């Protein structure tokens, strides 16, 4: 069974930057898209950003547009999330995910087959 492993979370002051990484391990699998979701305490998991390997299209939630950048390598099922100008409201557990099939714009949790364990990002004010 393929797995995704995130790294790079931590504690940062408001206005700072962090870079998250996500790599596939174990059994290799092909993916149509990879993305990042986040879940803050007491809230539902929400879409942050995604990239489709065919055409390199990227998608962002309005709340992170202009501050976060997704990039990756589809041959390695590896994806990165560069987060700049971080705000306290960005505090959450960040999850990496991979979608095997093309179900359209990859912004919904149900479109993803593989998930990482999550990495905590905490932004202090």
């Amino acid at each position: 069974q393929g797995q995704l492993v995130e790294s790079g979370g931590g504690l940062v002051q408001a206005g700072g930057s962090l870079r998250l990484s996500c790599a596939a391990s174990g059994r290799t699998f092909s993916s149509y898209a990879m993305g990042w979701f986040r879940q803050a305490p007491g809230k539902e998991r929400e879409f942050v950003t995604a990239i489709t390997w065919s055409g390199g299209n990227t998608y962002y939630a309005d709340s992170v547009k202009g501050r976060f950048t997704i990039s990756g390598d589809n041959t390695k099922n590896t994806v990165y999330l560069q987060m700049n100008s971080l705000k306290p409201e960005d505090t959450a557990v960040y999850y990496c995910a991979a979608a095997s099939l093309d179900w359209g714009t990859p912004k919904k949790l149900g479109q993803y087959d593989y998930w990482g364990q999550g990495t905590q990002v905490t932004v202090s004010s």
Side-chain angles (χ1 to χ4, degrees), residues 4 9-11 17 22 24-25 43 45 50 57 64 67 71 74 78 82 84 87 94 103-104 106 109 114 118 122:
L4 298 174
L11 173 64
S17 300
C22 172
S25 66
K43 295 188 177 181
R45 193 171 299 189
N57 296 315
V64 306
R67 301 187 297 121
S71 60
N74 64 318
T78 300
Q82 178 66 43
N84 299 328
K87 304 175 181 180
Y94 283 70
W103 293 106
L109 275 73
Y114 300 92
T122 303

XYZ file of all heavy atoms in Angstrom, residues 4 9-11 17 22 24-25 43 45 50 57 64 67 71 74 78 82 84 87 94 103-104 106 109 114 118 122:
213
model
N 1.961 8.319 2.025
C 2.482 9.668 1.878
C 3.025 10.107 3.224
O 2.390 9.895 4.262
C 1.386 10.621 1.409
C 0.768 10.306 0.051
C -0.404 11.237 -0.227
C 1.800 10.418 -1.055
N 6.722 20.782 9.102
C 5.887 21.611 9.968
C 6.681 22.153 11.144
O 7.826 21.788 11.377
N 6.037 23.045 11.900
C 6.693 23.596 13.062
C 6.024 24.853 13.561
O 4.887 25.157 13.180
N 6.741 25.577 14.411
C 6.249 26.811 14.997
C 6.950 27.986 14.342
O 8.186 27.993 14.214
C 6.527 26.812 16.505
C 6.224 28.102 17.276
C 4.735 28.411 17.235
C 6.728 27.964 18.707
N 7.835 32.155 7.264
C 7.655 31.183 6.188
C 7.977 29.772 6.667
O 8.773 29.585 7.586
C 8.579 31.525 5.007
O 8.297 32.800 4.481
N 6.180 16.502 0.956
C 5.395 15.268 1.010
C 5.954 14.318 -0.029
O 6.073 14.675 -1.204
C 3.935 15.560 0.722
S 2.903 14.090 0.529
N 5.979 10.107 -1.464
C 5.367 8.787 -1.443
C 6.402 7.764 -0.999
O 7.577 7.865 -1.325
C 4.831 8.432 -2.815
N 5.949 6.791 -0.248
C 6.831 5.703 0.167
C 6.093 4.383 0.012
O 4.880 4.348 -0.179
C 7.263 5.887 1.621
O 6.148 5.767 2.487
N -12.578 22.402 13.596
C -13.064 22.722 12.251
C -12.913 21.520 11.333
O -12.170 20.593 11.619
C -12.298 23.920 11.688
C -12.536 25.213 12.441
C -11.906 26.386 11.718
C -12.199 27.697 12.428
N -11.597 28.853 11.711
N -11.804 19.541 7.855
C -10.647 19.582 6.981
C -11.015 20.365 5.721
O -12.077 20.151 5.131
C -10.211 18.164 6.622
C -8.849 18.080 5.990
C -8.385 16.632 5.857
N -8.288 15.971 7.152
C -7.754 14.768 7.322
N -7.258 14.114 6.293
N -7.706 14.226 8.524
N -3.735 22.426 -4.743
C -3.517 21.178 -5.467
C -2.811 21.456 -6.784
O -2.868 22.583 -7.302
C -4.844 20.459 -5.720
N -1.463 22.268 -13.848
C -2.414 23.246 -13.327
C -2.367 23.284 -11.807
O -2.228 22.253 -11.159
C -3.820 22.903 -13.783
C -3.967 23.000 -15.289
O -3.510 23.957 -15.899
N -4.584 22.003 -15.900
N -5.383 31.504 0.831
C -3.923 31.349 0.754
C -3.359 31.871 -0.559
O -2.129 31.910 -0.733
C -3.504 29.885 0.953
C -4.074 29.340 2.246
C -3.888 29.017 -0.235
N 0.049 33.800 -1.220
C 0.982 33.552 -0.106
C 1.598 32.153 -0.157
O 2.742 31.957 0.242
C 0.261 33.727 1.237
C -0.340 35.101 1.450
C -0.883 35.256 2.867
N -1.980 34.334 3.150
C -1.964 33.430 4.116
N -0.914 33.327 4.919
N -3.016 32.629 4.305
N 4.316 23.011 -5.547
C 5.167 22.536 -6.634
C 5.433 21.061 -6.376
O 5.115 20.540 -5.304
C 6.480 23.321 -6.697
O 7.208 23.180 -5.500
N 6.094 14.789 -10.416
C 5.136 13.695 -10.563
C 5.822 12.349 -10.736
O 5.231 11.308 -10.442
C 4.178 13.946 -11.717
C 4.885 13.985 -13.057
O 5.952 14.559 -13.174
N 4.296 13.387 -14.067
N 6.043 13.456 -5.393
C 6.529 14.358 -4.350
C 5.939 15.738 -4.576
O 5.910 16.225 -5.708
C 8.066 14.436 -4.395
O 8.600 13.138 -4.177
C 8.580 15.377 -3.321
N 5.217 25.788 -0.250
C 5.932 26.946 0.284
C 4.905 27.912 0.842
O 4.025 28.375 0.112
C 6.751 27.621 -0.812
C 7.498 28.865 -0.355
C 8.583 28.556 0.657
O 9.332 27.597 0.504
N 8.676 29.374 1.698
N 4.364 31.467 2.727
C 4.934 32.756 3.089
C 3.882 33.636 3.743
O 2.688 33.379 3.628
C 5.496 33.454 1.851
C 6.606 32.675 1.181
O 7.373 31.973 1.839
N 6.704 32.791 -0.131
N -0.042 33.573 8.770
C -0.935 34.250 9.711
C -1.356 33.264 10.801
O -1.363 32.044 10.569
C -2.185 34.748 8.983
C -1.906 35.651 7.796
C -3.203 35.983 7.071
C -2.942 36.875 5.860
N -4.210 37.194 5.141
N -1.602 20.054 8.648
C -1.598 20.047 7.188
C -1.412 18.616 6.688
O -0.493 17.914 7.110
C -0.488 20.953 6.657
C -0.858 22.412 6.746
C -0.935 23.051 7.980
C -1.157 23.152 5.604
C -1.294 24.398 8.076
C -1.513 24.483 5.690
C -1.588 25.098 6.925
O -1.958 26.415 7.016
N -11.247 13.322 -11.333
C -12.657 13.542 -11.026
C -13.029 15.011 -11.205
O -14.018 15.472 -10.637
C -12.955 13.109 -9.586
C -12.823 11.642 -9.347
C -11.818 11.004 -8.677
C -13.704 10.616 -9.788
N -12.020 9.654 -8.666
C -13.166 9.385 -9.333
C -14.902 10.598 -10.509
C -13.795 8.158 -9.590
C -15.513 9.376 -10.751
C -14.968 8.182 -10.303
N -12.212 15.735 -11.966
C -12.467 17.148 -12.142
C -11.528 17.971 -11.277
O -10.526 17.465 -10.771
N -9.536 19.242 -8.585
C -9.230 18.436 -7.387
C -9.262 19.226 -6.086
O -8.241 19.420 -5.417
C -7.834 17.907 -7.685
C -7.215 18.996 -8.499
C -8.301 19.579 -9.334
N -12.256 16.538 -0.740
C -11.629 15.449 -0.011
C -11.895 14.102 -0.661
O -11.001 13.264 -0.760
C -12.136 15.426 1.437
C -11.440 16.312 2.451
C -11.802 17.768 2.216
C -11.832 15.888 3.862
N -5.181 8.689 -1.313
C -4.070 8.485 -0.395
C -3.881 9.742 0.448
O -3.957 10.855 -0.061
C -2.772 8.194 -1.162
C -2.825 6.976 -2.032
C -3.209 7.072 -3.365
C -2.503 5.715 -1.528
C -3.277 5.954 -4.179
C -2.558 4.590 -2.339
C -2.946 4.717 -3.652
O -3.007 3.607 -4.454
N -0.208 13.823 8.429
C -0.370 15.216 8.827
C 0.849 15.761 9.548
O 1.581 15.019 10.208
N 2.063 25.750 13.359
C 1.561 26.686 14.351
C 2.164 28.065 14.099
O 3.388 28.197 14.032
C 1.909 26.238 15.782
O 1.372 24.926 16.008
C 1.326 27.205 16.808
